[in-house]
Amino acid sequence: MRTRAEPRTTIKDIARETGVTGASVSRVLNDPHFGSVETRKRVLEAVRRLGYSPNHAARGLVRQASTIIGLCINDIENPFCAAFARGIEDAANRHGYTVALCNTDENPLKELAYVHTLLGWQVAGLILSATHSAG
């Protein structure tokens, strides 16, 4: 398992460790029916041993699609907001999406900063429980 200071384990590292191509490693990771039982076992063992985890940012660039939905809540301690967030997360998860939760504390500047950050990440969607501003 790698530590934070060590470089990220890549598909190329798994390929080198197992003696298969990077394309084969990718297919094993993305298709549960690809490859022989022995190849799958070697690749998945190397993934576990080396601590590989997919780079979702790179995957999003290649696929030109994100699986992250931004959710800006104005007060996560509000029971309605918490239930709202939970329902969104449950629905998103059922469809293969991950929710990035941002609590704005009803601060319009914080809300705007989160919106800009989430849009910069090119999230698949943005759900905003907008802050009420005076005036």
Side-chain angles (χ1 to χ4, degrees), residues 60-135:
L61 288 172
V62 169
R63 293 182 177 174
Q64 295 185 340
S66 171
T67 58
I68 298 174
I69 296 172
L71 173 60
C72 291
I73 296 291
N74 52 18
D75 180 9
I76 196 64
E77 291 181 342
N78 177 321
F80 172 78
C81 290
F84 180 68
R86 176 60 189 260
I88 289 168
E89 184 196 21
D90 289 346
N93 187 260
R94 281 193 304 272
H95 295 281
Y97 288 86
T98 300
V99 174
L101 176 65
C102 304
N103 182 51
T104 67
D105 294 319
E106 296 194 24
N107 178 335
L109 295 177
K110 192 174 179 183
E111 178 181 290
L112 186 60
Y114 276 136
V115 167
H116 284 292
T117 297
L118 291 166
L119 292 176
W121 287 351
Q122 297 183 337
V123 292
L126 177 60
I127 301 169
L128 180 63
S129 173
T131 297
H132 301 288
S133 59

Side-chain angles (χ1 to χ4, degrees), residues 10-16 18-31 34 39-40 43-44 47 52:
T10 67
I11 284 180
K12 287 181 183 180
D13 298 327
I14 302 300
R16 192 172 26 259
T18 58
V20 301
T21 66
S24 292
V25 172
S26 179
R27 288 187 193 110
V28 166
L29 295 174
N30 290 300
D31 180 356
F34 178 81
T39 298
R40 289 190 61 72
V43 168
L44 295 175
V47 164
Y52 171 80

